[in-house]
Amino acid sequence: LLDIFEINALGNHNILNASAVIALAHQLKISTAKIKNGILKYTGVQRRFEIKHKINDIIFVDDYAHHPSEIEATLKSTKKSYPNRRIIAMFQPHLYSRTQDFYREFAKALLVADEIFIAKIYPAREKPIDGITSQLIADIVEKSGHKKIRYIKDFTELENEIASIIRENDILISLGAGTINMSLEKIYEIYEQRIMQKK
């Protein structure tokens, strides 16, 4: 018999994971009703397309994606699920070595977004590598013909700039394994304060 299962988590990877869970649950003789209920209640894990806030029809999303394939999957899933919304991506590269190895791939993955903001590299355990900065990614994006790309080193400037351009129907996504999620929260606070001041 053919059953239809609904899932509230975005992306093909979540669909594949849910399919595996459904197959295993059937093998364990769990009722279809319980499986459907469990799958429907699952909304994903922390920092994986985690919707943090909604205000004025703007969605603030945090995603831990820090590899080109993860970023591309997240942005493509967002575009597919919300085709009529402007996607603003703010990305913080994680590690100098990873940026050195994948800056071209990062640039290609980010092209899916309508507006791209790139922060300085989160070093974690690493020391800087000469010539390796987020500018490498920004340059490739720009050369690809994307007109809405900015590399902003200062986080306060980054937060204020994004807060000044977000508008109704936008999706703002923070991407990275560093501290970029803190900037997402700050942008939400700035925007919320502006809304309150207008009332």
Side-chain angles (χ1 to χ4, degrees):
L1 291 173
L2 180 65
D3 281 306
I4 296 173
F5 293 81
E6 292 182 51
I7 183 169
N8 282 319
L10 290 181
N12 289 333
H13 58 292
N14 281 315
I15 293 171
L16 291 171
N17 289 342
S19 298
V21 169
I22 291 164
L24 178 61
H26 274 301
Q27 290 291 319
L28 296 172
K29 309 294 186 199
I30 298 171
S31 73
T32 300
K34 283 186 177 180
I35 298 169
K36 285 185 177 183
N37 187 48
I39 293 292
L40 189 60
K41 285 182 176 179
Y42 177 74
T43 57
V45 296
Q46 190 176 23
R47 297 209 68 196
R48 289 295 187 187
F49 204 86
E50 182 181 5
I51 296 176
K52 302 294 289 186
H53 306 284
K54 290 182 180 180
I55 185 172
N56 270 13
D57 207 28
I58 300 169
I59 303 174
F60 292 76
V61 178
D62 178 41
D63 199 291
Y64 191 75
H66 55 284
H67 186 276
S69 59
E70 295 172 340
I71 292 168
E72 187 172 17
T74 296
L75 293 176
K76 282 186 174 179
S77 294
T78 306
K79 183 73 83 175
K80 185 177 180 181
S81 299
Y82 301 96
N84 299 317
R85 289 180 180 260
R86 180 174 69 156
I87 299 171
I88 303 171
M90 57 175 185
F91 171 54
Q92 181 185 35
H94 185 262
L95 303 178
Y96 292 100
S97 59
R98 185 178 289 126
T99 304
Q100 183 179 42
D101 292 341
F102 295 111
Y103 69 91
R104 292 179 185 86
E105 290 82 359
F106 280 130
K108 182 177 178 290
L110 288 166
L111 290 173
V112 178
D114 300 297
E115 302 258 359
I116 304 165
F117 290 84
I118 303 178
K120 64 183 178 181
I121 296 169
Y122 182 77
R125 59 192 176 272
E126 293 186 338
K127 293 181 179 179
I129 299 172
D130 286 343
I132 304 302
T133 71
S134 296
Q135 188 68 56
L136 290 169
I137 301 168
D139 287 346
I140 298 289
V141 171
E142 198 167 10
K143 286 174 184 174
S144 297
H146 201 295
K147 304 297 182 189
K148 303 282 187 174
I149 169 70
R150 288 200 61 193
Y151 164 40
I152 303 177
K153 299 177 187 178
D154 180 79
F155 282 99
T156 301
E157 183 185 345
L158 175 80
E159 292 152 6
N160 286 323
E161 175 70 19
I162 296 174
S164 72
I165 68 156
I166 55 175
R167 60 177 187 255
E168 191 175 313
N169 212 43
D170 283 347
I171 296 181
L172 174 61
I173 307 179
S174 58
L175 298 159
T179 56
I180 197 68
N181 59 321
M182 295 169 64
S183 289
L184 183 80
E185 294 299 325
K186 185 63 180 175
I187 293 163
Y188 172 73
E189 289 171 13
I190 295 168
Y191 185 80
E192 186 181 40
Q193 286 172 6
R194 287 179 184 167
I195 294 299
M196 295 300 290
Q197 287 169 2
K198 288 179 181 178
K199 290 183 177 181

